[in-house]
Amino acid sequence: MDFLHRNGVLVIQHLQKDYRAYYNFLNFMSNVGDPRNIFSIYFPLWFQLNRTVGTKMIWVAVIGDWFNLIFKWILFGHRPYWWVQETQIYLNHSSPCLEQFPTTCETGPGSPSGHAMGSSCVWYVMVTAALSYTVSGMDKPSTTLHRLTWSFLWSLFWLIQISVCISRVFIATHFPHQVILGVIGGMLVAEAFEHTPGIQTASLSTYLKTNLFLFLFALGFYLILRLLDIDLLWSVPIAKKWCANPDWIHIDTTPFAGLVRNLGVLFGLGFAINSEMFLRSCRGENGYKLSFRLLCVMASLSTLQLYHVIKIPTHAEHLFYVLSFCKSASIPLTVVALIPYCIHMLMKPSEKKFD
C-alpha cells in the first residue's frame, strides 16, 4: 500500500500546485458528490417526476453508503492529510506538505471514497432512467438519435465522476485508488438494483426489517471487532490530531453519523410511501397531473433548503445521532407525503369551483 500512497501523494501535490486556481470549481464538484445532496436535491426532483426512479435512488444511496461503511471498516484506509504525518517512509522529517481545506478533515477511514461511491451510484440510476425513457419514446428508425443520446448521457456521467474524483484527491481527503474503488463500487450497487424490482412494492414491514438488519449487522460487526481489540473508530483521534484547523472537524463525518442518516431516510421513506397522505395525493387523480408534480418539486426543494438552517447540537454525541435520525426521516416524509398532500388539498377547492 505504501506504493499507492506515495504515488498518490505525488498526484495530490501536482493537483494542488498546478490547479490551485480551480479550487472553487473543484470544491463545487466535491459538493456535487456529497451523499447528503442525494436526499435534499436529487431525490425530491426525481421522485415527483418518476416515483420508480426516486424510490430506487433512495434504496441505492442507502445500501451503497452502508456497503461503503462496511468496506471502510474492513480496509482500514488512510487519508492523505494524516498519512503523510503518520508514515515512516519519509526520512529526516522530509514528509511532503499537503494543503488542507475546510472540507479536508473527514474523520472516517478513507477507502473507498463515500463521495465517489454515492455520486456514481445515483448518477448511474439517473442516466439509465433517462436512457430507458428516451428508448421507450423513440421509434425504430431513431437509432442515430438513440446513439447520440447514449453517448451524451454517459459522457456526462463520466465527466461528473472524474470531476468529483479529482476534487476529492485535490483537497487531500482521498488517494486516487480510493476514489476509483468508490466509483466502481457505486456502479455495481446501482446495477444490482436494476434487477431488484421488489423495492417498488415494498411494504412498511419490509422497510422496517431492512432498517433493523442494516443497523444490527453494522452494530454487531463493530462490537465483535471491539471484543477482538480492533477499534473501528481508530481514524477519529488521528483526524483530530493532524487536522490543520479544529473547526474543520465535524461529527457528521464520523462512520456512525452516516449510518444513522441513511437509516433515518429509509425509515422515513417506508412510512411516507405507505401513508394515507401519499395514497390520497400522489396515487390520486392529481398525482398524474404535470402541474401537481411541478408544484411538489418546487415546494419540496424550497422546503428542504430550510432544513440546512436547522443545526443539530453536537455537544452530546448520542443526542446528535437521535436528532440526526429524526431530521433525516423527516426529509422523505416531507417530500413524499406532507407536501404532496398539502398541495392536493389546496387544489381541491379550485377544482370544485371550476366544476
Side-chain angles (χ1 to χ4, degrees):
M1 292 303 292
D2 283 344
F3 173 80
L4 290 174
H5 289 153
R6 193 166 196 166
N7 284 281
V9 168
L10 294 176
V11 173
I12 296 169
Q13 287 181 305
H14 168 67
L15 289 173
Q16 291 188 346
K17 179 183 177 182
D18 296 342
Y19 296 93
R20 185 67 176 78
Y22 297 95
Y23 168 72
N24 290 332
F25 170 74
L26 293 171
N27 187 54
F28 170 76
M29 292 310 301
S30 183
N31 290 328
V32 167
D34 192 331
R36 288 169 291 193
N37 287 332
I38 298 170
F39 309 127
S40 61
I41 298 176
Y42 303 139
F43 168 66
L45 177 63
W46 273 94
F47 185 83
Q48 300 301 342
L49 298 179
N50 189 314
R51 293 182 195 113
T52 300
V53 177
T55 303
K56 185 194 296 182
M57 186 177 291
I58 289 293
W59 278 89
V60 166
V62 169
I63 300 301
D65 209 41
W66 183 82
F67 273 115
N68 182 266
L69 171 65
I70 299 301
F71 279 117
K72 279 182 174 177
W73 279 347
I74 293 172
L75 297 176
F76 288 85
H78 291 276
R79 293 185 184 272
Y81 75 91
W82 79 56
W83 181 83
V84 293
Q85 305 293 340
E86 295 276 319
T87 184
Q88 301 297 320
I89 68 171
Y90 298 107
L91 303 175
N92 300 324
H93 304 286
S94 61
S95 58
C97 179
L98 297 181
E99 185 176 358
Q100 295 184 23
F101 303 91
T103 52
T104 295
C105 300
E106 296 200 4
T107 56
S111 187
S113 167
H115 278 63
M117 195 165 179
S119 176
S120 66
C121 71
V122 168
W123 279 93
Y124 190 95
V125 170
M126 291 192 285
V127 167
T128 52
L131 284 173
S132 298
Y133 178 78
T134 55
V135 168
S136 63
M138 284 182 181
D139 299 324
K140 287 184 179 179
S142 306
T143 308
T144 304
L145 183 58
H146 171 63
R147 287 177 178 173
L148 287 172
T149 305
W150 187 94
S151 299
F152 171 74
L153 288 175
W154 282 116
S155 296
L156 177 65
F157 171 85
W158 284 113
L159 179 64
I160 291 171
Q161 302 321 309
I162 291 170
S163 298
V164 170
C165 289
I166 291 174
S167 72
R168 303 301 290 170
V169 174
F170 172 84
I171 62 174
T173 199
H174 284 296
F175 291 101
H177 71 277
Q178 295 173 343
V179 293
I180 293 171
L181 282 175
V183 170
I184 295 171
M187 292 176 67
L188 289 174
V189 171
E191 179 58 30
F193 274 90
E194 292 292 319
H195 310 284
T196 315
I199 59 173
Q200 302 300 333
T201 56
S203 63
L204 177 59
S205 174
T206 302
Y207 278 91
L208 295 177
K209 289 176 182 177
T210 304
N211 243 26
L212 191 61
F213 170 79
L214 296 177
F215 174 72
L216 291 178
F217 186 96
L219 182 62
F221 188 72
Y222 171 78
L223 292 176
I224 288 171
L225 291 185
R226 280 299 298 267
L227 290 174
L228 298 173
D229 283 334
I230 300 174
D231 184 11
L232 294 180
L233 300 180
W234 60 272
S235 60
V236 178
I238 298 177
K240 291 179 177 179
K241 179 181 179 181
W242 295 114
C243 184
N245 188 337
D247 293 335
W248 294 348
I249 295 286
H250 301 290
I251 192 174
D252 62 353
T253 65
T254 59
F256 278 113
L259 176 66
V260 168
R261 180 177 63 245
N262 290 317
L263 294 180
V265 169
L266 193 63
F267 179 82
L269 179 64
F271 265 95
I273 214 163
N274 289 282
S275 68
E276 190 68 24
M277 287 192 292
F278 172 75
L279 295 175
R280 286 190 179 185
S281 55
C282 295
R283 293 291 187 189
E285 291 183 10
N286 283 330
Y288 299 96
K289 296 178 181 178
L290 181 61
S291 58
F292 172 79
R293 293 189 175 195
L294 290 177
L295 282 171
C296 287
V297 168
M298 291 186 290
S300 296
L301 290 174
S302 301
T303 303
L304 292 185
Q305 297 314 304
L306 299 176
Y307 277 53
H308 296 301
V309 179
I310 304 172
K311 300 297 182 184
I312 300 176
T314 58
H315 60 275
E317 192 171 356
H318 292 92
L319 177 63
F320 172 84
Y321 290 145
V322 171
L323 294 178
S324 179
F325 180 89
C326 295
K327 181 180 177 181
S328 299
S330 68
I331 292 174
L333 281 168
T334 301
V335 172
V336 175
L338 185 60
I339 286 178
Y341 184 74
C342 290
I343 294 175
H344 167 73
M345 296 303 292
L346 289 171
M347 290 179 73
K348 283 179 71 176
S350 60
E351 287 172 0
K352 289 179 179 177
K353 289 178 183 178
F354 181 76
D355 292 339

